[in-house]
């Protein structure tokens, strides 16, 4: 499914740490069982990450289609963009990521003190307590293909995992995401809530398994969207952290989009979300640890270098 969500009034800079979730927008209890299945099905139609044609898509952030979270639906498609809350800054920007290393042979092998490819502005958006950072780098401002790398702090520097192919919104990236613009928001956002149609694969994140994640129809390339929401991780853009990815609340208003997720790739561009192969989504879910305050840094390469 194509995913697309609305990024609030800003480039969605700064994702809130779990410790800071009580600031600004009230955070509901983390229990996920309160939402009836019937309501979830309706939400799936009202929000859409993926660009879908035919039946409604549950791709959290969705811009095209009869249903979509990312603003007005695009004719002939359906989307499902889940609400996201702009993350608030957590911790001193740009700190806690530098490591003092030894000189000599040991220094040549120590992890870098800073995450490669990120400029001073982007580094300043990363909360000081974040120890897991998923960096999604787009190939270009208007490109819908990208790469994702999980960086984990070792105590002395950042260690990068493998490079995973990824997709983003049909029209690329934007610093001022709006509902229906078919662009993914540029920024740094916290990752604290997950869910999906399939059982919990063993994540430490709160996981909402629900039939509300079912999706059908086709995407921008005519690809089937079924299975796109088997696993999702909510990106905290214009949503309330601490709630199910299916929560439709949009603190910054519907015009800023919402429902931006990490979800399973459906072999086509999204409406605003970021998608990864199913095996990589399972792996990411098993690795992310709320105690390490994970965030996602996303955008086109030139924007992230600023």
């Amino acid at each position: 499914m194509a995913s697309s969500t609305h990024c609030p009034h800003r480039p969605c800079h700064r994702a809130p740490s779990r410790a800071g979730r009580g600031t600004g927008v009230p955070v509901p209890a983390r229990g996920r069982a309160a939402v009836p299945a019937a309501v979830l099905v309706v939400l799936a139609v009202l929000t859409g990450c993926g660009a879908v044609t035919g039946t409604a898509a549950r791709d959290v952030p969705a811009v095209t289609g009869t249903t979509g979270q990312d603003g007005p639906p695009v004719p002939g498609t359906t989307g499902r963009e889940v609400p996201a809350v702009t993350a608030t800054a957590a911790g001193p920007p740009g700190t806690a990521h530098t490591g003092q290393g030894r000189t000599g042979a040991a220094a040549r092998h120590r992890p870098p003190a800073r995450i490669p490819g990120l400029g001073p502005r982007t580094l300043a958006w990363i909360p000081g307590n974040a120890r897991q950072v998923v960096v999604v780098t787009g190939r270009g401002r208007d490109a819908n293909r990208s790469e994702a790398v999980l960086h984990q702090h070792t105590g002395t520097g950042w260690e990068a995992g493998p490079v995973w192919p990824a997709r983003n919104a049909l029209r690329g990236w934007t610093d001022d995401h709006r509902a229906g613009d078919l662009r993914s928001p540029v920024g740094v956002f916290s990752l604290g809530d997950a869910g999906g149609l399939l059982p919990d694969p063993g994540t430490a994140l709160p996981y909402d398994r629900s039939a509300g994640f079912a999706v059908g129809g086709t995407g921008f390339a005519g690809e089937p969207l079924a299975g796109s929401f088997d696993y999702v991780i909510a990106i905290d853009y214009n949503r309330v952290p601490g709630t199910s990815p299916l929560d439709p609340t949009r603190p910054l208003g519907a015009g800023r989009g919402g429902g931006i997720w990490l979800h399973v790739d459906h072999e086509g561009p999204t409406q605003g979300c970021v998608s990864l192969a199913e095996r990589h989504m399972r792996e990411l879910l098993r690795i992310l640890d709320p105690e390490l305050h994970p965030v996602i840094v996303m955008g086109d390469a030139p924007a992230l270098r600023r």
Side-chain angles (χ1 to χ4, degrees), residues 257-304:
I260 303 296
W261 296 341
L262 274 162
H263 63 75
V264 177
D265 180 38
H266 46 75
E267 299 299 323
T270 72
Q271 293 187 37
C273 296
V274 172
S275 64
L276 300 172
E278 183 173 355
R279 66 182 182 281
H280 296 150
M281 278 297 298
R282 282 197 304 269
E283 183 174 350
L284 186 60
L285 280 164
R286 290 168 182 159
I287 294 174
L288 292 182
D289 182 351
E291 297 301 317
L292 299 179
H293 309 284
V295 300
I296 184 170
V297 177
M298 51 194 278
D300 56 286
L304 296 187

Side-chain angles (χ1 to χ4, degrees), residues 158-194:
W158 290 97
E159 191 169 90
V163 177
W164 295 332
R167 298 178 196 265
N168 52 275
L170 177 68
R171 295 174 183 164
W173 302 90
T174 179
D175 291 299
D176 186 22
H177 181 64
R178 301 285 173 166
D181 64 6
L182 294 182
R183 291 182 178 271
S184 297
V186 174
V188 176
F189 312 95
S190 57
L191 300 172
D193 303 290

Side-chain angles (χ1 to χ4, degrees), residues 113-141:
R114 292 188 177 183
I115 299 174
L118 305 185
R121 184 194 69 164
T122 304
L123 289 170
W125 289 341
I126 300 175
N129 60 356
R131 288 297 179 271
Q132 291 181 320
V133 177
V134 180
V135 178
V136 178
T137 306
R139 296 182 180 178
R141 192 66 170 183

Side-chain angles (χ1 to χ4, degrees), residues 48-297:
C49 185
V52 186
T53 57
T55 60
R58 286 241 351 127
D59 201 9
V60 175
V63 171
T64 63
T66 55
T67 63
Q69 277 222 325
D70 206 16
V74 174
T77 60
T78 59
R80 192 206 162 307
E81 186 175 311
V82 175
V85 166
T86 325
T88 56
T95 62
H97 303 309
T98 53
Q100 300 273 332
R102 291 169 293 178
T103 58
R108 290 197 295 271
H109 300 290
R110 75 170 184 267
R114 292 188 177 183
I115 299 174
L118 305 185
R121 184 194 69 164
T122 304
L123 289 170
W125 289 341
I126 300 175
N129 60 356
R131 288 297 179 271
Q132 291 181 320
V133 177
V134 180
V135 178
V136 178
T137 306
R139 296 182 180 178
R141 192 66 170 183
D142 301 320
N144 52 50
R145 301 299 293 270
S146 47
E147 295 180 336
V149 179
L150 172 63
H151 297 262
Q152 302 195 77
H153 204 281
T154 65
T156 59
W158 290 97
E159 191 169 90
V163 177
W164 295 332
R167 298 178 196 265
N168 52 275
L170 177 68
R171 295 174 183 164
W173 302 90
T174 179
D175 291 299
D176 186 22
H177 181 64
R178 301 285 173 166
D181 64 6
L182 294 182
R183 291 182 178 271
S184 297
V186 174
V188 176
F189 312 95
S190 57
L191 300 172
D193 303 290
L197 186 64
L198 298 182
D200 181 349
T203 184
L205 300 176
Y207 189 89
D208 178 22
R209 184 188 183 189
S210 169
F213 290 100
V215 62
T218 56
F220 291 114
E223 77 281 10
L225 296 174
S228 300
F229 303 136
D230 283 354
Y231 300 114
V232 308
I233 301 171
I235 295 173
D236 287 343
Y237 166 81
N238 197 19
R239 71 178 299 270
V240 178
T243 63
S244 166
L246 293 171
D247 186 340
T249 307
R250 305 286 181 76
L252 298 174
R256 290 292 177 175
I260 303 296
W261 296 341
L262 274 162
H263 63 75
V264 177
D265 180 38
H266 46 75
E267 299 299 323
T270 72
Q271 293 187 37
C273 296
V274 172
S275 64
L276 300 172
E278 183 173 355
R279 66 182 182 281
H280 296 150
M281 278 297 298
R282 282 197 304 269
E283 183 174 350
L284 186 60
L285 280 164
R286 290 168 182 159
I287 294 174
L288 292 182
D289 182 351
E291 297 301 317
L292 299 179
H293 309 284
V295 300
I296 184 170
V297 177

